[in-house]
Amino acid sequence: GAGVSQSPSNKVTEKGKDVELRCDPISGHTALYWYRQSLGQGLEFLIYFQGNSAPDKSGLPSDRFSAERTGGSVSTLTIQRTQQEDSAVYLCASSPRAGGPYEQYFGPGTRLTVT
Amino acid sequence: EDQVTQSPEALRLQEGESSSLNCSYTVSGLRGLFWYRQDPGKGPEFLFTLYSAGEEKEKERLKATLTKKESFLHITAPKPEDSATYLCAVQAPLGYGQNFVFGPGTRLSVLP
């Protein structure tokens, strides 16, 4: 079946612009996670959704970052007034449901470059 | 604070040379430990879930084991296609949030 998809695969933006990153989870998966991976670094947790609500936003680095999920499916991560330090690969993962432990299935990521 | 460390940071093996990767964690009340493989430019690919000390799981040339403080990923007679970064992650108890804590990974290179 179809896996997790993310779009765009690459995004180059100028400092100060807003960007939106999209994640389509595996159908039927109710839990959705966003991570950030900087070059040569591990995965940094950003936020997770159970259905459309976000019980844990603890990883969002600043108020420039926000995320929403609609219809228990697609999620959008928005970064406002992008900074160069926002450059990274943004990974989305979905899981059958939260409260697991359930493995996560990852998308291919969106590579964001802020110039 | 929950911590996950992995060693070595990088490992170079000759084809057929078996070895082990280590993942150490400090989270109490572990709910699950996960191993992933990540190829360059791709998202992590799920390999194993381990739930309790003493558990072992195998898949082809890979075998994962779990103790109360660490997990090992044993690679038997590796092939060049096993070259990748191997990540481990732990899931903390409910109430910590549902976030997974990932280790920094071990970058494995298998030379022909």
Side-chain angles (χ1 to χ4, degrees):
Chain A
V4 178
S5 62
Q6 293 185 245
S7 61
S9 56
N10 281 284
K11 177 72 176 179
V12 180
T13 190
E14 292 180 353
K15 177 181 173 181
K17 295 283 181 72
D18 298 350
V19 295
E20 284 190 354
L21 312 180
R22 176 186 168 109
C23 172
D24 281 272
I26 293 172
S27 178
H29 280 195
T30 60
L32 185 148
Y33 303 77
W34 283 99
Y35 294 89
R36 179 167 71 175
Q37 188 172 35
S38 302
L39 188 63
Q41 302 297 311
L43 273 69
E44 176 189 2
F45 169 79
L46 298 177
I47 188 171
Y48 110 93
F49 289 90
Q50 175 59 33
N52 291 334
S53 64
D56 190 351
K57 305 180 182 180
S58 62
L60 294 178
S62 75
D63 58 8
R64 296 187 295 105
F65 288 72
S66 63
E68 66 174 11
R69 188 179 185 195
T70 56
S73 182
V74 172
S75 176
T76 303
L77 177 68
T78 301
I79 309 173
Q80 296 179 311
R81 306 181 301 281
T82 52
Q83 303 295 313
Q84 288 186 329
E85 61 262 29
D86 299 334
S87 296
V89 175
Y90 289 81
L91 290 161
C92 172
S94 71
S95 186
R97 48 197 173 277
Y102 298 111
E103 62 270 17
Q104 298 176 331
Y105 296 88
F106 283 83
T110 293
R111 181 175 298 279
L112 175 66
T113 303
V114 182
T115 61
Chain B
E1 181 181 331
D2 299 333
Q3 292 277 348
V4 180
T5 59
Q6 292 187 247
S7 62
E9 181 177 328
L11 180 63
R12 294 178 63 148
L13 300 173
Q14 291 296 132
E15 184 172 2
E17 180 186 1
S18 301
S19 188
S20 297
L21 312 182
N22 176 267
C23 170
S24 296
Y25 61 92
T26 58
V27 68
S28 57
L30 179 76
R31 302 187 69 227
L33 185 142
F34 304 81
W35 282 98
Y36 290 85
R37 168 193 172 125
Q38 187 173 24
D39 293 297
K42 297 188 176 182
E45 174 190 348
F46 169 73
L47 294 173
F48 302 108
T49 307
L50 300 167
Y51 298 99
S52 58
E55 188 175 2
E56 298 182 352
K57 289 196 176 171
E58 290 188 63
K59 179 180 180 180
E60 296 181 356
R61 296 177 293 282
L62 300 177
K63 177 179 172 181
T65 62
L66 180 65
T67 71
K68 288 188 176 180
K69 293 186 177 181
E70 57 191 355
S71 176
F72 292 93
L73 185 65
H74 307 278
I75 303 176
T76 302
K79 298 181 177 182
E81 54 262 41
D82 295 323
S83 297
T85 296
Y86 290 84
L87 302 170
C88 74
V90 298
Q91 186 178 22
L94 289 172
Y96 279 41
Q98 293 297 309
N99 56 303
F100 286 63
V101 179
F102 277 83
T106 292
R107 192 170 60 255
L108 174 66
S109 300
V110 181
L111 308 176

